[in-house]
Amino acid sequence: MKAKSRQKTRTNSKGRKKSRAADEDGISLYKRIKLEVTRTLSSGDISPNDPLPTEKQLAAHYNVSIGTVRRAMDDLVAEHIVVRQQGRGTFLAALSPERMLNRFWPMFRQDGVRVIPIVQTLSFEEGRADAETAEALGLRKGDPIYRIVNLLLMGGNPVILDEINLSKKLYFGLREEHLVARETTMYGFYQSHFGINVFRVLDRLHAASANQWRAERLGVPLNSPLLSVIRIAYAFGNRPVEFRKSFLSTDAYEYRNAIGGEIRVD
Amino acid sequence: MKAKSRQKTRTNSKGRKKSRAADEDGISLYKRIKLEVTRTLSSGDISPNDPLPTEKQLAAHYNVSIGTVRRAMDDLVAEHIVVRQQGRGTFLAALSPERMLNRFWPMFRQDGVRVIPIVQTLSFEEGRADAETAEALGLRKGDPIYRIVNLLLMGGNPVILDEINLSKKLYFGLREEHLVARETTMYGFYQSHFGINVFRVLDRLHAASANQWRAERLGVPLNSPLLSVIRIAYAFGNRPVEFRKSFLSTDAYEYRNAIGGEIRVD
DNA sequence: TTCGATTTGTTCGTATGTATT
DNA sequence: TAATACATACGAACAAATCGA
């Protein structure tokens, strides 16, 4: 006497009617849910740190079982898009200041210790996108942008020089006061003030030499070797939302990168 | 008439006896299985590309349900330790030459194209571990090692100079002929000849200047900026199995690093 | 502070779909 | 074609964390 026997399609107690595995579109249910939820999140309606619908609600809404919702959420958790907390709910992956920092700033002291940088904004100006910036941000050359130069000090010494380019359209109304006043990382700032959630960055690393201007600000000799990091930051949906060129003095600090399993056995 | 109602412990039809969620050790079943399987894999008994026990077998062996085995395997798949193929089985994550390359060599041409390097072995010698190498490989200073210097050419030009240090004990019997004859990456070579599966590397990046020796081999001017990559490669169980110092000429190629979701929606 | 409701976490089990051999 | 092995989906029961009354 096992439950109800099932055919390829059936109608269950809630009026659900589905062919199992492989939907009309040939895409599985949990993947569809994954997409739908991602779309919802990228729309920016859900501010981080307030919860998504509960699993039960999602199951009801999409007319699937809780297990299927969990399968979708498992994926989103693995992709660091949402986090779950037993007893509380499921949240847009955030963005506590130091989680943000830990996640997107792979800078360590030589001995492996992570150091929180202190940020000085050296300049803030409006300008127009050059070819490189336009390409990176998906703009047209000459489109209006904000350009910010930050100096990051670690352990009291200047270590990183950041040249940040933002589309004016995306960050309309940004002013220098906001930057000095902010109590968080740039990415946390984008999120809290503009609803822009950076969840992925792509870094391109080169060896470079310090020119006069950079040498002065980083306090190193002219032509010292610097690590150049060209970064594009993406929000959900692979929307580029920041183009950044950084120059790092790697005498006392280094850029670390782990490839492969992260060995969380918890 | 729903199944059998359950108490906190019970004995099922197969004689299984278990308290639900949170085992004796306070660790969940699927995590225990994850660990056990990982241990089995790291012992090197299972050569890559032959299958692990099937889910059914594992379930029987560990006396748990298939769902629990799948939960454990899901994690191992997410961590790139195993791969599953519908209809075939589950395999130790491998390591086709170009998967290996794609996975652990984040070098791209400026335009984003990946280039397969050609490897020249410049030298092969036995030596003794200096402090740095010993530390990295978990050896004592003075322990015997092999030291290999490789020059990697991309697009016909020398781009990377690799100085590789291997514990002699781990790779006992290694000879230069093996290296020249090999038809794969170094990591593939470690695996096929020594049963050592690299599944994770940690890179530390610095800006450096080309000294005389390196400048000559890389065909760049003295004191040119080079990207220095100090790498430790780990096998299962976090066993360090290779210590490598690389110097990259980044005029035409770059080191790329993606942080955050990889956006596989499949 | 206690307690109960809510929400996710873990485990089990079943049925069926689909790819491989 | 049949057997095998993983993939998807449903649903139930209980554990554990959280939060508010």
Side-chain angles (χ1 to χ4, degrees):
Chain A
M1 167 156 314
K2 267 292 68 102
K4 53 243 164 197
S5 80
R6 293 185 183 111
Q7 302 304 328
K8 222 176 167 192
T9 67
R10 53 93 205 224
T11 302
N12 77 358
S13 55
K14 286 176 188 150
R16 207 175 290 161
K17 186 165 185 290
K18 281 263 148 267
S19 63
R20 322 303 251 54
D23 223 33
E24 303 80 34
D25 312 357
I27 181 176
S28 50
L29 286 178
Y30 82 90
K31 281 181 185 168
R32 176 193 311 286
I33 293 172
K34 220 175 116 181
L35 277 173
E36 300 267 11
V37 172
T38 306
R39 239 191 293 275
T40 303
L41 294 177
S42 57
S43 75
D45 292 344
I46 293 191
S47 76
N49 295 356
D50 57 26
L52 276 64
T54 68
E55 296 177 344
K56 197 190 294 192
Q57 290 170 334
L58 286 172
H61 182 270
Y62 291 112
N63 203 20
V64 299
S65 78
I66 281 197
T68 301
V69 171
R70 287 189 63 81
R71 178 70 178 79
M73 288 309 186
D74 283 345
D75 270 26
L76 294 182
V77 168
E79 294 170 23
H80 301 112
I81 292 178
V82 302
V83 294
R84 287 191 286 208
Q85 261 182 281
Q86 186 175 156
R88 298 227 302 139
T90 304
F91 306 83
L92 213 179
L95 2 47
S96 63
E98 28 76 58
R99 273 211 69 234
M100 213 67 183
L101 201 67
N102 284 352
R103 189 146 177 63
F104 294 115
W105 262 124
M107 290 296 294
F108 292 79
R109 211 165 63 190
Q110 309 280 12
D111 59 11
V113 175
R114 223 180 240 278
V115 183
I116 309 289
I118 295 174
V119 184
Q120 291 180 356
T121 297
L122 298 188
S123 71
F124 172 88
E125 54 187 41
E126 304 188 12
R128 306 214 158 261
D130 57 24
E132 190 182 18
T133 304
E135 153 99 33
L137 293 179
L139 304 175
R140 279 186 303 277
K141 192 174 158 184
D143 281 353
I145 59 167
Y146 297 113
R147 179 172 290 119
I148 302 156
V149 179
N150 283 336
L151 182 65
L152 280 65
L153 296 90
M154 301 173 80
N157 300 309
V159 177
I160 305 177
L161 193 58
D162 273 340
E163 304 169 17
I164 300 174
N165 300 277
L166 307 174
S167 161
K168 188 169 176 181
K169 194 188 306 195
L170 257 181
Y171 295 86
F172 191 77
L174 177 62
R175 287 198 322 249
E176 185 161 10
E177 303 87 88
H178 299 149
L179 294 176
V180 245
R182 91 195 136 91
E183 266 305 314
T184 166
T185 64
M186 288 299 285
Y187 297 153
F189 175 72
Y190 300 159
Q191 176 204 97
S192 56
H193 284 63
F194 297 94
I196 292 171
N197 295 289
V198 171
F199 84 116
R200 172 176 177 262
V201 302
L202 178 61
D203 285 349
R204 302 165 56 196
L205 287 84
H206 296 259
S209 290
N211 63 16
Q212 183 65 37
W213 188 79
R214 290 176 190 138
E216 276 173 19
R217 270 145 199 83
L218 287 171
V220 297
L222 187 65
N223 293 328
S224 296
L226 295 179
L227 183 56
S228 152
V229 180
I230 301 173
R231 165 177 291 194
I232 302 177
Y234 297 89
F236 296 117
N238 271 332
R239 205 162 38 114
V241 293
E242 184 207 69
F243 178 59
R244 176 190 296 222
K245 283 189 180 186
S246 301
F247 291 86
L248 323 185
S249 165
T250 56
D251 294 333
Y253 297 87
E254 61 194 18
Y255 182 107
R256 291 196 177 188
N257 182 28
I259 307 177
E262 292 161 51
I263 321 172
R264 292 161 286 92
V265 187
D266 307 54
Chain B
M1 169 159 313
K2 266 293 69 104
K4 52 244 162 198
S5 80
R6 292 183 184 111
Q7 302 305 328
K8 219 177 173 194
T9 67
R10 53 86 205 232
T11 302
N12 78 357
S13 55
K14 287 175 191 148
R16 206 177 293 161
K17 185 165 185 292
K18 279 263 147 268
S19 63
R20 322 302 251 55
D23 224 35
E24 303 81 34
D25 313 357
I27 180 176
S28 50
L29 286 178
Y30 81 89
K31 282 181 185 169
R32 177 194 309 288
I33 292 172
K34 220 174 117 181
L35 278 173
E36 300 266 10
V37 171
T38 305
R39 239 192 290 277
T40 303
L41 293 177
S42 57
S43 75
D45 291 346
I46 292 188
S47 75
N49 295 355
D50 56 26
L52 276 64
T54 67
E55 296 177 343
K56 197 190 294 190
Q57 290 170 334
L58 287 171
H61 182 271
Y62 292 112
N63 204 19
V64 299
S65 77
I66 281 195
T68 301
V69 170
R70 285 190 64 80
R71 179 70 178 76
M73 287 310 189
D74 283 346
D75 271 24
L76 295 182
V77 168
E79 294 170 24
H80 300 112
I81 292 178
V82 303
V83 294
R84 286 190 285 210
Q85 264 182 278
Q86 186 175 162
R88 296 227 302 138
T90 304
F91 306 83
L92 212 178
L95 8 108
S96 63
E98 29 75 58
R99 273 211 67 234
M100 211 69 184
L101 201 66
N102 284 353
R103 188 145 179 64
F104 294 115
W105 262 124
M107 291 295 294
F108 293 79
R109 210 164 64 191
Q110 308 281 11
D111 59 10
V113 174
R114 221 181 241 279
V115 183
I116 308 289
I118 295 174
V119 184
Q120 291 180 357
T121 297
L122 299 188
S123 71
F124 171 87
E125 54 188 39
E126 305 187 12
R128 306 211 159 263
D130 57 23
E132 190 182 18
T133 304
E135 152 100 33
L137 292 179
L139 304 174
R140 280 186 302 276
K141 192 174 159 186
D143 280 353
I145 59 166
Y146 297 112
R147 179 171 290 120
I148 303 155
V149 178
N150 284 337
L151 182 66
L152 280 66
L153 296 90
M154 301 173 82
N157 301 309
V159 175
I160 304 177
L161 194 57
D162 273 340
E163 305 168 17
I164 299 174
N165 300 277
L166 306 174
S167 161
K168 189 169 175 181
K169 195 190 305 201
L170 257 180
Y171 297 85
F172 192 77
L174 177 61
R175 287 198 322 250
E176 184 160 11
E177 303 88 88
H178 299 149
L179 295 175
V180 243
R182 89 195 138 90
E183 267 305 316
T184 166
T185 65
M186 287 300 285
Y187 297 153
F189 175 70
Y190 299 160
Q191 176 205 98
S192 54
H193 283 63
F194 298 93
I196 292 172
N197 296 290
V198 172
F199 84 117
R200 173 176 176 262
V201 304
L202 179 61
D203 285 348
R204 302 166 55 198
L205 287 84
H206 295 259
S209 290
N211 62 16
Q212 183 65 34
W213 188 79
R214 290 176 189 136
E216 277 174 17
R217 270 145 199 84
L218 287 170
V220 297
L222 188 65
N223 293 328
S224 297
L226 295 179
L227 183 56
S228 152
V229 180
I230 301 173
R231 164 177 292 194
I232 303 177
Y234 296 88
F236 296 118
N238 271 333
R239 206 163 36 113
V241 294
E242 183 205 71
F243 178 59
R244 177 190 296 222
K245 284 190 178 182
S246 300
F247 292 86
L248 324 186
S249 165
T250 56
D251 294 333
Y253 297 86
E254 62 194 18
Y255 182 107
R256 291 197 176 186
N257 182 29
I259 307 178
E262 292 161 53
I263 323 169
R264 290 161 287 94
V265 188
D266 306 55

